[in-house]
Amino acid sequence: MIHAPFSLLLVLIAPILAIVAGGFLYTFRPRLVHWPMLASCAVVFLAALRLAYLVSTRGAMDVLLYRWAATWSPGSSWLVDFGLRLDGLSAMMLLLISTVGGLIHLYSVGYMEEDASFGRFFLYFHFFYFSMLGLVVADNYVQMYLFWELVGTASYLLIGFWYHKDTARRAALQAFLTNRVGDLGFLAAVFILMAIVGRGDSNFTDLFQLGASINPTHLALVGFLLFWAATAKSAQFPLYFWLPDAMEGPTPVSALMHAATMVTAGIFLLARSWPLISLVDGLPQWVAAVGALTAIGSAIVAVTKTDLKRILAYSTVSHLGIMAMGIGLGKVGGALFHLLTHGFFKATLFLCAGNIAHALHKPTADVSEAGGLRKHMPVTFGAFTVAALSLAGVFPFAGFFSKDAIIGAALERGGVMAVAGLLIAFLSALYIFRMLFLVFWGPRSWQHPPERPHEAGTVMAAPVSLLAAGAFAVGMFAVWGHRLTDLLLRGWAGSAESLSIPGFEWPSFFAGTSMLLFGAGAAYFLTTAMPDWDPAWRASRPWLARLFETDFYYKSFVSGVVDAVLAASRAIGEIFDSRVVDGAVEGTGPAVRALSARFSAAISGSLNDYLWWLAAGAAALLGLALRTL
Amino acid sequence: MTLWVWGVSLFLFFVGLAIVVLRRQLLLMLLGLELMIAGTNIVLVFYGGLRADADILGAALLILAVAAGEAVVGLALILRAYNLGLEPDAPALRELRG
Amino acid sequence: MIPIDPIQRLIAAMGPPAAFAVGLALIVLAGFGRGRSRVSKVLGVLTLLAGLVLVFPRARPAPAAGALLAPDGFSTAWQILFYAGALPFAILGAAGTEAPALLYLGSALGMGIIALSRNLLMLFIGLELMSIPAYLLVSGLGRRERASSEAALKYFFSGGAASAFFLLGIALYYARMKTLAFAPGSAPPDPILGASLVLMGTAALFKIGAVPLHFWLPDVYEASAPELAGFFSTALKAAAVLLLMRVVSIAPSSALARALPWAGALTMFVGAVLALGQDRLQRLLAYSSIAHAGNIILGVGAWAAMGASPAAAYAIYFYLAAYLFMNNGAFSFLAVSGLKTREDLKGFAKGSPVLAGLFAVFMLALAGAPPTAGFLAKLLIFWEALKAGLYAPLAFALLSALIALVYYLSLVRDAYFEEGSAVSVRGSLAGRAVLWACAAPSAALGLFPIVLGPIQRLLGP
């Protein structure tokens, strides 16, 4: 029998059952598909709570569910395991996914109400939910890779959900392909690990125990490859560009996948692999550098964007960069903490953007179309403000504590990192306050829809409010009594120091808050004090628009590279074609068919021919045998 | 002596083989088959006598019996084909091909 | 008085052949009554099941040293293949009289004797006992009477010639070894022995359907009832493989053994290429059967090259077992659905989605798609070939597998994505039961390589 807490199995079984049930319902009552999903979300949430309790009291555990083993002689076998790992890290992720995921499921019921593909949405959405759950409880790299791929597939399906839109299809394909590039790194790392360990069944516990004895070159290779995979999935520079375009998907998708969970899978991978990564010289520093670069660059671009969801997308990229920076600085605890708080406040922000778009009856909204909404959409306004303050890192909102942990570490490191940290604090405040002011204050610039923009029903407002509450409270809750750190320490294979999260430190508080005030002030100045700045200023400088449009020409660079690669492969293909025009490559198909016909003709139907061949065959073999005579 | 026996035996075997491969009438081919078997039997019987091995003589008898049974089956098949309208002629059996 | 003790000992020692003897006698008796076809069908199935049960070793008296027949790990394991492989035919075969039951039981008995033989004479007797009922089955149970007669004649003459070669091999062996008993590795390879083994091996290869001894196979498979072709392609082929392995084991380093990988490569390539151009489904499956036989021959070659390594034996056995399910399933599908050509197959999925789904399972399993049984089977054999250092034949194997993929997938595509007359076929209860019983292992066996454990224990170290 399998010795595992029932809740752990439930975490995977409930979504599977829900998807099967939903599949049945889909065929004859598509509008009811969401019920099994909501039930499953509730079940998983309760299971996650229980599992967190179990981990806190009993410690980590590895559960082996099934071993695919082909053994035919002692010492000669192939093994691939399917197992589950419950430790502090996976418990925290489970809580995040189930809470945020469950609330967004609820939100989607309202948001997707008028959509014709209501049922299909929930099927895909819950498939993603399941894949993400499987990813965080995987107990070995192979299994994690499997779920990693599933998550990528779900992302493809959901970004391209409105597949009749050309932009959506292209964005889905772009996301998928870019992630694929990263996945190659993951796959290569998995193979190298299997080669090192000699079998395919090493779960994390066993693997990390080997850690120091692995050849440093191999380890470095694995580390960099894993970081490459994380770069693609968590949208670090240079593979970040798919994420803003992924906003083509419905808002719940953007909120759950491209803010709270899927994109954080890369950070999760880095955290899981920390015992290996920390052993590689220079890799943590590299991670921190890339993270910082990403954070700053995308924050700058976020300031220039006008589409609500795009601003938030770039903000997500920036915060992923912050998380990577945290890991690179050795503060895995801080990074994970930020992952947690970011999940809450970013999801809230996205859902608010969704509310606004919904109120304006458009798929997505632009800052130029919103404006002065605070009177008309008070709940959204409240939630947005809470989340924005959290994002900017205002004490005592959740974001303050998590950002503080990382920026504090950056300041401690000093030098470039310190400057980067301060810049990030400044820029984050700048773009989020800009968004706040433009959307909720200022003159009414929205076109007149049939009725005034108003709050959506409870189904949409409640989750937003709850998430906003989380964006406020989660930080204090986690830091108080070192709760989060204690949880994460369960089953942690790295050093305890890497998980430490400072509670409150005056220097970083001052530095962060002052940068924040600068940023808020700058935003106020740019938007409210000089209201024409943004739109008019842009309109008068079209080259600026181009600059902002293409992320300071980075996107043009990427499309250029892609086009070049495609052109090269086409050219090579043509050379081959023309070279072997007499049939070696192109003619393989017809050649084989001709061969087939020739062989077929040999079976003439005449018995004597058959017997001839029999005698000839025997004679040939006999000749071989008698050659030694 | 052994060589002679082997020679005769192999001669019969190959003649039988030639008949089977080269002739058209099915009955003749059946004959050829029997000839092949008979050829090998000669060797076995010879060795039975040479080495006074009763086992091999018994084997030769058994093989003879099996060959007879096979011949019966072969005749039955040829007869059935003939009754169905097929010519007992090997090259004519060409409905199945390719 | 009836001597109970020797009979008990005989049954304990021999197992299935004893059951078969009883079963055959009963069926002959049943032939005198009314309802003989149904009774004989039931009796036939029961006898096979009894054989399956009796196959497993109980406390056995050790065989006497010069014994003609003696069980060992291989014989137990292979007999399971024979009797299980005959079951679909026993269940699905149309029986007008009691003759088919007699014939396939006789054939199965012959296979059992081949498995149990320690003596070349017994091997020959088993070979003949296996083959002659097969000739009759082809002639009597074909769908188009003239074609089946023709096929039976071709089978008879080619098979007869092959048996004659086997006999010559026996004669040469006796001349060299002064005995007809054989045991693994008992002979130093020298030219006469090598020639002897080649002749016997040729007969075995003929029965397997190796190229260039394959000409009879498509005609026979095409003209037989589909379920009969299923019986031939699984049970009979397994028997022929065992025959080959027994012969090769006499001298694993002989010329025959060294030629096997190349024979295998040739066979799988030609088989795959031939199948590509076929439209008649039963003939296509016959060629696919040849291609798979090539894989097995390669496996036997690897087995011999590594000095009868047990791991390779497990791989060969697993392949034959997986093949049993896949091929019986494919042929049973043809029997149940009544399809003849690719044209008939087009659009089949629309009318009969369940049957088409099962068909797809068999095709994918035969193609070797993960995680089907076919995938694991191919993987194991290729791994053994790699271990044995047979790189060039292995390359051929991969190439042929690729070619095979083309036609298997094209069949699935025809069933699902082409327009055609979407007939709705349900099939009899027995037919559907057989199909599902074959489909489940075909699909899932690749996921449970744990079955290799029992296989190991069966076959012994």
Side-chain angles (χ1 to χ4, degrees):
Chain A
M1 277 315 294
I2 302 171
H3 298 286
F6 184 58
S7 347
L8 189 56
L9 299 173
L10 207 55
V11 158
L12 289 182
I13 294 176
I16 294 178
L17 290 176
I19 294 176
V20 171
F24 274 126
L25 281 175
Y26 184 67
T27 44
F28 49 91
R29 295 267 264 184
R31 309 283 331 176
L32 291 182
V33 173
H34 60 289
W35 286 112
M37 314 309 183
L38 290 177
S40 155
C41 285
V43 166
V44 172
F45 175 67
L46 292 172
L49 284 176
R50 169 138 179 86
L51 286 172
Y53 172 72
L54 276 178
V55 168
S56 306
T57 49
R58 282 200 237 158
M61 62 182 87
D62 282 308
V63 173
L64 180 62
L65 287 182
Y66 178 66
R67 165 162 286 178
W68 187 94
T71 316
W72 48 81
S73 43
S76 167
S77 59
W78 300 331
L79 296 164
V80 177
D81 280 351
F82 189 85
L84 302 177
R85 177 168 178 74
L86 179 64
D87 59 4
L89 178 57
S90 53
M92 182 198 103
M93 293 299 293
L94 281 177
L95 279 174
L96 175 67
I97 299 169
S98 59
T99 314
V100 177
L103 288 172
I104 298 183
H105 265 84
L106 192 57
Y107 177 88
S108 315
V109 176
Y111 185 84
M112 298 296 290
E113 199 178 13
E114 284 154 20
D115 196 297
S117 312
F118 183 81
R120 185 165 61 98
F121 177 80
F122 275 98
L123 282 175
Y124 288 170
F125 206 54
H126 214 70
F127 169 59
F128 163 74
Y129 184 73
F130 164 71
S131 313
M132 195 68 209
L133 289 170
L135 186 97
V136 303
V137 295
D139 85 335
N140 59 69
Y141 275 112
V142 176
Q143 196 179 323
M144 197 173 175
Y145 180 72
L146 171 69
F147 281 103
W148 183 275
E149 291 285 355
L150 286 181
V151 165
T153 309
S155 167
Y156 170 76
L157 289 172
L158 285 166
I159 296 175
F161 183 70
W162 289 313
Y163 50 82
H164 37 267
K165 269 174 52 175
D166 190 45
T167 44
R169 283 203 311 274
R170 265 193 279 138
L173 202 59
Q174 178 186 249
F176 186 70
L177 291 176
T178 318
N179 269 283
R180 264 265 157 253
V181 172
D183 292 348
L184 284 176
F186 200 145
L187 196 60
V190 166
F191 279 137
I192 295 178
L193 280 171
M194 282 172 72
I196 291 177
V197 176
R199 24 199 275 179
D201 71 331
S202 280
N203 58 23
F204 292 128
T205 319
D206 298 334
L207 191 61
F208 295 154
Q209 269 164 4
L210 281 179
S213 60
I214 303 179
N215 179 330
T217 329
H218 295 153
L219 199 59
L221 204 55
V222 169
F224 275 97
L225 285 170
L226 286 176
F227 181 56
W228 178 249
T231 306
K233 190 70 98 190
S234 289
Q236 301 297 297
F237 187 85
L239 295 176
Y240 75 93
F241 47 86
W242 64 272
L243 187 50
D245 288 336
M247 298 298 115
E248 293 287 335
T251 302
V253 170
S254 313
L256 183 59
M257 295 175 66
H258 305 127
T261 45
M262 178 187 130
V263 290
T264 51
I267 306 292
F268 171 76
L269 175 66
L270 292 176
R272 256 277 185 254
S273 316
W274 179 248
L276 292 179
I277 293 180
S278 54
L279 292 174
V280 179
D281 278 331
L283 183 54
Q285 288 85 336
W286 177 251
V287 172
V290 172
L293 178 64
T294 307
I296 297 174
S298 50
I300 294 176
V301 176
V303 177
T304 67
K305 293 291 174 183
T306 58
D307 180 282
L308 293 181
K309 283 173 68 174
R310 292 262 154 153
I311 300 179
L312 293 175
Y314 281 100
S315 163
T316 305
V317 176
S318 178
H319 280 267
L320 290 169
I322 295 176
M323 292 179 221
M325 207 171 108
I327 292 189
L329 289 170
K331 293 283 175 227
V332 184
L336 288 171
F337 187 21
H338 197 64
L339 200 158
L340 184 64
T341 58
H342 174 265
F344 280 94
F345 61 67
K346 197 44 72 62
T348 312
L349 289 170
F350 266 108
L351 293 189
C352 291
N355 275 348
I356 295 168
H358 193 93
L360 296 175
H361 294 277
K362 310 174 101 253
T364 184
D366 199 277
V367 289
S368 54
E369 297 162 344
L373 278 176
R374 75 178 186 283
K375 292 194 197 61
H376 301 278
M377 303 183 69
V379 175
T380 306
F381 170 61
F384 192 98
T385 312
V386 168
L389 291 176
S390 196
L391 189 154
V394 175
F395 179 85
F397 290 77
F400 163 74
F401 293 100
S402 58
K403 227 177 187 172
D404 188 59
I406 297 179
I407 295 185
L411 288 176
E412 243 180 286
R413 185 65 70 87
V416 182
M417 280 295 143
V419 173
L422 294 174
L423 251 180
I424 289 169
F426 170 72
L427 287 169
S428 318
L430 179 59
Y431 66 70
I432 200 67
F433 277 104
R434 167 176 173 264
M435 201 174 162
L436 182 67
F437 294 144
L438 281 175
V439 171
F440 292 103
W441 262 279
R444 274 175 14 185
S445 48
W446 31 270
Q447 317 291 332
H448 284 276
E451 73 265 7
R452 289 166 165 248
H454 64 102
E455 283 298 347
T458 326
V459 169
M460 287 167 70
V464 177
S465 319
L466 286 172
L467 284 171
F472 173 70
V474 160
M476 283 190 295
F477 184 76
V479 166
W480 184 36
H482 299 284
R483 250 197 211 116
L484 183 60
T485 314
D486 283 342
L487 179 65
L488 287 174
L489 273 172
R490 298 278 181 210
W492 180 245
S495 67
E497 195 224 312
S498 57
L499 283 183
S500 70
I501 298 173
F504 181 91
E505 275 162 19
W506 285 108
S508 48
F509 171 68
F510 271 128
T513 311
S514 47
M515 286 290 113
L516 187 163
L517 289 172
F518 274 137
Y524 179 77
F525 185 65
L526 287 174
T527 57
T528 320
M530 286 177 45
D532 291 335
W533 174 77
D534 214 270
W537 197 72
R538 279 166 187 265
S540 63
R541 290 164 176 77
W543 59 269
L544 208 63
R546 263 268 305 279
L547 197 67
F548 292 160
E549 178 73 33
T550 60
D551 289 6
F552 297 93
Y553 293 120
Y554 179 66
K555 272 204 178 166
S556 324
F557 169 67
V558 168
S559 0
V561 168
V562 169
D563 284 342
V565 169
L566 281 177
S569 60
R570 221 176 304 132
I572 295 177
E574 274 165 19
I575 293 177
F576 267 140
D577 267 0
S578 63
R579 279 251 176 130
V580 293
V581 77
D582 15 271
V585 169
E586 279 186 307
T588 305
V592 172
R593 284 191 190 274
L595 204 58
S596 179
R598 195 83 66 75
F599 287 153
S600 231
I603 309 185
S604 58
S606 162
L607 179 55
N608 293 100
D609 287 349
Y610 296 3
L611 292 162
W612 224 121
W613 278 104
L614 176 60
L621 280 174
L622 212 54
L624 270 177
L626 294 176
R627 258 189 330 165
T628 52
L629 191 66
Chain B
M1 180 65 176
T2 316
L3 228 56
W4 271 107
V5 177
W6 266 109
V8 169
S9 167
L10 283 175
F11 176 72
L12 284 176
F13 185 87
F14 282 112
V15 166
L17 184 59
I19 294 176
V20 170
V21 171
L22 295 174
R23 298 304 295 245
R24 330 171 35 126
Q25 289 96 337
L26 292 179
L27 284 169
L28 268 181
M29 289 165 72
L30 190 56
L31 201 91
L33 216 52
E34 292 304 305
L35 205 54
M36 287 165 80
I37 298 178
T40 52
N41 245 10
I42 290 179
V43 177
L44 292 177
V45 169
F46 169 72
Y47 275 115
L50 186 67
R51 297 177 183 162
D53 187 353
D55 284 345
I56 202 70
L57 288 173
L61 272 176
L62 265 172
I63 291 172
L64 211 56
V66 167
E70 200 171 348
V72 166
V73 169
L75 279 171
L77 288 174
I78 295 175
L79 204 59
R80 179 180 163 83
Y82 183 69
N83 283 339
L84 286 173
L86 285 170
E87 285 293 320
D89 184 59
L93 300 173
R94 273 195 171 217
E95 191 180 327
L96 293 166
R97 54 171 41 207
Chain C
M1 290 301 298
I2 305 173
I4 296 288
D5 199 44
I7 294 180
Q8 264 188 337
R9 272 191 284 135
L10 183 69
I11 293 180
M14 288 308 116
F20 277 58
V22 172
L24 281 167
L26 285 175
I27 294 177
V28 169
L29 286 176
F32 290 115
R34 270 178 306 152
R36 51 192 181 157
S37 66
R38 181 159 305 170
V39 170
S40 60
K41 196 170 189 171
V42 169
L43 278 175
V45 174
L46 284 178
T47 312
L48 284 174
L49 291 174
L52 275 173
V53 166
L54 284 174
V55 129
F56 289 98
R58 240 162 256 103
R60 266 191 216 219
L68 296 172
L69 297 176
D72 69 353
F74 274 60
S75 73
T76 314
W78 251 262
Q79 282 181 74
I80 298 176
L81 287 178
F82 302 153
Y83 307 146
L87 270 176
F89 176 61
I91 297 174
L92 291 179
T97 66
E98 79 281 15
L102 284 175
L103 290 173
Y104 72 72
L105 280 183
S107 189
L109 179 57
M111 296 181 206
I113 291 182
I114 291 181
L116 290 166
S117 301
R118 297 294 174 91
N119 185 294
L120 286 178
L121 177 66
M122 293 312 286
L123 270 184
F124 174 72
I125 290 183
L127 177 64
E128 290 297 291
L129 189 52
M130 172 179 87
S131 312
I132 294 179
Y135 307 148
L136 289 170
L137 278 170
V138 173
S139 79
L141 292 180
R143 292 169 298 164
R144 289 155 19 220
E145 301 202 342
R146 284 170 59 117
S148 51
S149 241
E150 174 185 322
L153 281 170
K154 289 181 183 169
Y155 197 11
F156 172 79
F157 279 104
S158 335
S163 299
F165 285 148
F166 194 84
L167 268 180
L168 190 58
I170 291 181
L172 280 171
Y173 182 89
Y174 182 77
R176 177 73 183 73
M177 303 292 293
K178 301 200 191 346
T179 173
L180 284 180
F182 70 92
S186 63
D190 72 359
I192 296 189
L193 191 79
S196 150
L197 291 181
V198 159
L199 286 167
M200 293 193 280
T202 304
L205 286 172
F206 166 83
K207 273 276 180 285
I208 297 180
V211 169
L213 313 168
H214 65 285
F215 290 83
W216 59 275
L217 203 148
D219 291 347
V220 167
Y221 282 27
E222 187 184 359
S224 318
E227 55 270 18
L228 180 63
F231 170 60
F232 286 159
S233 67
T234 52
L236 213 95
K237 196 171 299 246
V241 168
L242 183 61
L243 182 63
L244 184 65
M245 285 171 83
R246 293 285 199 213
V247 166
V248 166
S249 72
I250 297 175
S253 55
S254 64
L256 173 68
R258 276 177 284 127
L260 280 180
W262 291 105
L266 183 64
T267 305
M268 62 177 80
F269 180 70
V270 171
V273 166
L274 276 168
L276 260 185
Q278 261 312 313
D279 277 336
R280 292 168 281 178
L281 292 176
Q282 239 168 287
R283 209 171 177 93
L284 195 154
L285 280 181
Y287 289 134
S288 109
S289 196
I290 295 178
H292 281 277
N295 282 337
I296 300 176
I297 295 173
L298 176 62
V300 177
W303 174 76
M306 295 194 285
S309 96
Y314 306 147
I316 296 172
Y317 187 77
F318 184 81
Y319 199 102
L320 284 170
Y323 189 64
L324 192 147
F325 290 113
M326 305 189 286
N327 229 34
N328 259 327
F331 276 110
S332 304
F333 168 80
L334 287 184
V336 168
S337 66
L339 298 176
K340 305 265 196 299
T341 65
R342 261 186 207 259
E343 279 308 307
D344 301 339
L345 188 58
K346 286 189 178 168
F348 189 69
K350 284 204 187 56
S352 321
V354 175
L355 278 184
L358 291 170
F359 174 68
V361 166
F362 296 131
M363 290 300 108
L364 288 173
L366 284 169
T372 59
F375 167 70
L376 187 59
K378 279 201 168 72
L379 194 62
L380 288 172
I381 294 264
F382 290 171
W383 185 247
E384 294 303 319
L386 193 66
K387 279 203 288 189
L390 304 167
Y391 302 122
L394 183 60
F396 257 101
L398 292 168
L399 179 63
S400 312
L402 211 59
I403 298 176
L405 199 65
V406 171
Y407 57 79
Y408 287 128
L409 288 182
S410 77
L411 285 174
V412 177
R413 182 205 64 207
D414 281 347
Y416 276 91
F417 299 116
E418 296 280 337
E419 287 302 318
S421 59
V423 290
S424 177
V425 180
R426 261 205 108 211
S428 63
L429 179 64
R432 275 176 291 137
V434 167
L435 282 176
W436 280 100
C438 289
S442 304
L445 220 50
L447 287 172
F448 299 101
I450 203 84
V451 302
L452 282 172
I455 292 178
Q456 275 182 60
R457 270 177 283 131
L458 258 182
L459 287 171

